[in-house]
Amino acid sequence: MSDIPPGLETLDYTFAGQRPAGAFAPVLVGVVGSGNLEVLVEPASGTDCTVHIETSARGFGPIWDAVVRDFHRRHPLAGVRVSINDMGATPAVVGLRLDQAISELPT
């Protein structure tokens, strides 16, 4: 039997931002559904990039850690809050949705 209680798992990350995102309207991509997720990117005060994840796929913290760190390595944004609502998306789909959201930000 697993030590992980039922329900959603919550993961939070904070990265030092390197590239200010500037002013932008919140961006929402994806849909919460089986095997998919939604990503909301919002402006935030300060210079950090924060990522908040709520996922139904419990016990995958090390994989989330790798995916989120790779995202921030590719997009070292500052002043951004990323919220992810996941229903079991694969790492490839997570990366796709994150890139999709960032592509909608002003350059």
Side-chain angles (χ1 to χ4, degrees):
M1 185 142 129
S2 173
D3 293 336
I4 301 169
L8 296 177
E9 182 170 6
T10 300
L11 303 165
D12 288 288
Y13 299 88
T14 300
F15 300 98
Q18 299 171 13
R19 192 177 81 226
F24 64 94
V27 173
L28 179 66
V29 297
V31 63
V32 179
S34 180
N36 207 338
L37 74 158
E38 71 178 8
V39 173
L40 174 64
V41 179
E42 302 171 279
S45 61
T47 58
D48 288 340
C49 173
T50 62
V51 180
H52 175 78
I53 301 164
E54 291 187 359
T55 178
S56 63
R58 302 185 58 77
F60 291 91
I63 293 171
W64 277 107
D65 187 70
V67 170
V68 171
R69 289 182 186 284
D70 176 66
F71 162 73
H72 188 68
R73 181 188 53 77
R74 293 181 292 112
H75 305 286
L77 297 172
V80 171
R81 178 175 47 249
V82 178
S83 301
I84 299 172
N85 294 315
D86 172 58
M87 291 298 289
T90 65
V93 171
V94 175
L96 174 73
R97 290 287 182 232
L98 287 166
D99 288 346
Q100 181 183 12
I102 298 307
S103 74
E104 294 191 23
L105 296 182
T107 54

